[in-house]
Every structure is written in structure tokens, then in C-alpha cells.
Amino acid sequence: MLALLLTLCAWLAPAQAHKPSDSYLSLAVHGQQIDGQWDIALRDLDFAIGLDGNGDGALTWDEIRARHAAIAAYALQRLQLASDRGACPLKAVEQLIDQHTDGAYSVLRFAATCPGNAAPATLSIGYTLFADLDPQHKGLLKIDSGGATQTAIFDPDSPRQTLSLAAPDRLAQFGAYVKHGIWHIWIGYDHILFLLSLLLPAVLLPGLREQRQGLKAAFYDVLKVVTAFTLAHSITLTLASLSLVSLPSRWVESAIAASVILAALNNLLPLFRGKRPVAAFIFGLIHGFGFASVLRDLGLPQGSLLASLFGFNVGVEIGQLAIVAAFLPLAWLLRKTWLYRQVLTVGSLAIALVACVWLVERVADIKLIST
């Protein structure tokens, strides 16, 4: 178990950013005409086709403008639109730059004309952007048609979807965001290490003598920590997603890294002195801002946003409970062993060191360890 945790920490060390690779695709349907906007992270495009002409590690507008044709060709070859009457050819219209919560994005505006003389009843969308480079990449879609907004999520496992413009499937949209929330917590390495750092001492509480009472006490301790974390990040996830509160992404991500350091060091020094649920709540408020970046960047109207927000939050909680369900039985079985004591001390130190790397990278906006 100790070797596994140390290996995990070594593997996570290069993970500089919390937010995974996403693009934001917006389609507005007006009769047979479709106007589209596709926001794609410049860092992802630079990795895929090369934008940094002089190789100095800094992208300029001239370098990006020189690659406009390549950006449009690369992206539009990986997006297909088709109505129930046939294919809707795509044509690039304009390219801009915009800032999202996690950095600069290329904004590709395009148009498509579908066959026929009326608005399509269904729209089939094929999405394969970065499918050969990043199996974790997701495309977040928003469609406005006839005054209604619907959403969908694309990834390499679901690259093609057919959506009804006349009768949007709200349940499918909700399920997509539940799935996205689960996946988001499972690849949110800083969130996972923060939670595990708080949970590691749960089975070593003072007074755990008789097994049944001890397990019950450990369960309630875990419940208090997880409930406090859930309540806190749900509050700020909602506030940030509704644009009621906004904090710079760089400082949010830096604060999340700092919270991992403090949670891990608490297992070596009594920083919280028996108040781990309080710490989980305070730091959970910060983690909620990290969760919110996905939904806020999509720019959904309030009606669609609330449903997506609820589904995403449900998914985060399911993913979090799955981690707890895997952790608690194993920790309980190993709690009296020398190995578990080593996991608590050496493992916590390793987590703190990994989080220190993240903190320096995020505060200074540099990369210390290459992926």
C-alpha cells in the first residue's frame, strides 16, 4: 500500500493544472443556417499542431494569426454536422482570442448550411478533436434552437450524437453532466489527495478499542469530513457557476494546492487539532471554485445551467463517495499494522511534496516537471 501511494504521488507530480482539457462548442440554429463558435485552448492547439513559431515558450498574436488557416483546417476536419436531410458543410468565418478561467483560447467562428428550406428536426454531430492525442479531452456543446437551449458532452468514447432540436432530451443532458461530474472528481488529483489526507487518520482516532464501536466511530468521523467538504464545495460551485462570485483561476488553483499541503501536514503535525471537519469545510469552499470552471465557461442560460449544475454536482458526490467506499474498508483492515503507520507518515509527506510542486507551478505560472 505504501509503495502504491508513493508511486501514485510520483505519477501525479507532473499534473500541473487541475482543470482538464475541454473545448466549448456553441451552435445557433436559424432555419437551415447554423452559426457556430468553437473555443479551443491555445495550449492544446500548440501541442497538436505547433503555434510557437520561435520556440520561446510564449505565444504572440502574430504567431497565432500565422497559423489561422492551420487551426481552422485542423479543427473543422474533426467536426461534422448533418441534419436529417444530409451533411451541413462547415466554413470558417473569423478567428479571435478569448480568456477563459484556465488561460487563453482560440475562438473559431464558423457557419454551416444544411440542405432543405426549413430548420432541421435533428442534428447529428461528430466530434473527434484531440481524440488521438488526449483520451481525457471533452467537448462541451451548447445548442440554441427555436428559443430552447440544450447541451451535450463529447469524448473519445462518445464521438457522435444525434440531438432532437424539436424535443430536447433533458434526462440525457442531466445524465451526461452526472457522468462528467464523476469523471471530473476522479481526474481531479488535487481534490483526491486533499480528501485522502483528511481521511487517513479516521481509523486511528483515540479510543478505538472494541472493533464494532471503533468502526462506528471511524465511519462517523469520515461522514463528518465528507459532509463538510460536500456542503462547502456545493455552496461555492453554485455561486461561481451562477456568476454570483468570481475568483481568478490561477489563485483558486494555487489555494487548492496549498490546502493539500496543509491537509497532509496535519497528519504529521496537529495543525487542526481534532477539527478536520472544520478544515474540510473551509478548504472545500475553495475547491468548489475549481469545480465551477467547467460550467461557467460554457456560458449556459440560467434554466439550462441549473439542470447542468445539479447533474454535475450529483456526479461529483457519486465520484467522491466511490473513493470513500474504496478507502474506508481497506484502511480499517490495515489500521493496526506498521504499514498503515508508514502510509500515514511517509505517504502524507509525499503528498505534501507533490502539492508543493503544484503550488510553485501555479503561483509562478511555470512548469517544474515536464509531463
Side-chain angles (χ1 to χ4, degrees), residues 14-33:
Q16 179 185 12
H18 155 72
K19 190 174 182 295
S21 172
D22 298 315
S23 81
Y24 303 90
L25 177 62
S26 299
L27 303 176
V29 181
H30 311 285
Q32 71 271 34
Q33 182 71 28

Side-chain angles (χ1 to χ4, degrees), residues 326-357:
F327 161 82
L328 188 56
L330 182 61
W332 179 256
L333 290 174
L334 297 177
R335 72 193 187 285
K336 295 182 179 179
T337 65
W338 171 87
L339 177 62
Y340 195 81
R341 295 286 182 178
Q342 294 302 307
V343 169
L344 185 66
T345 54
V346 180
S348 295
L349 181 59
I351 290 173
L353 290 175
V354 167
C356 283
V357 173

Side-chain angles (χ1 to χ4, degrees), residues 38 73-80 90 126-132:
W38 201 355
Y74 180 83
L76 295 183
Q77 287 173 4
R78 288 158 177 80
L79 178 67
Q80 300 84 39
L90 306 178
Y127 181 105
T128 55
L129 183 69
F130 305 131
D132 55 336

Side-chain angles (χ1 to χ4, degrees), residues 249-334:
S249 175
R250 179 176 168 188
W251 297 111
V252 169
E253 299 302 328
S254 300
I256 289 174
S259 74
V260 178
I261 296 172
L262 293 175
L265 291 180
N266 182 63
N267 297 332
L268 306 175
L269 302 169
L271 301 177
F272 306 146
R273 297 190 179 277
K275 296 182 179 180
R276 287 167 28 259
V278 176
F281 183 85
I282 293 172
F283 291 125
L285 293 172
I286 299 171
H287 284 244
F289 286 108
F291 289 135
S293 59
V294 173
L295 296 177
R296 186 170 63 248
D297 284 346
L298 189 54
L300 293 170
Q302 189 159 335
S304 300
L305 177 58
L306 290 175
S308 301
L309 170 62
F310 182 61
F312 184 80
N313 204 35
V314 168
V316 168
E317 303 320 318
I318 292 173
Q320 184 174 277
L321 289 175
I323 294 171
V324 173
F327 161 82
L328 188 56
L330 182 61
W332 179 256
L333 290 174
L334 297 177

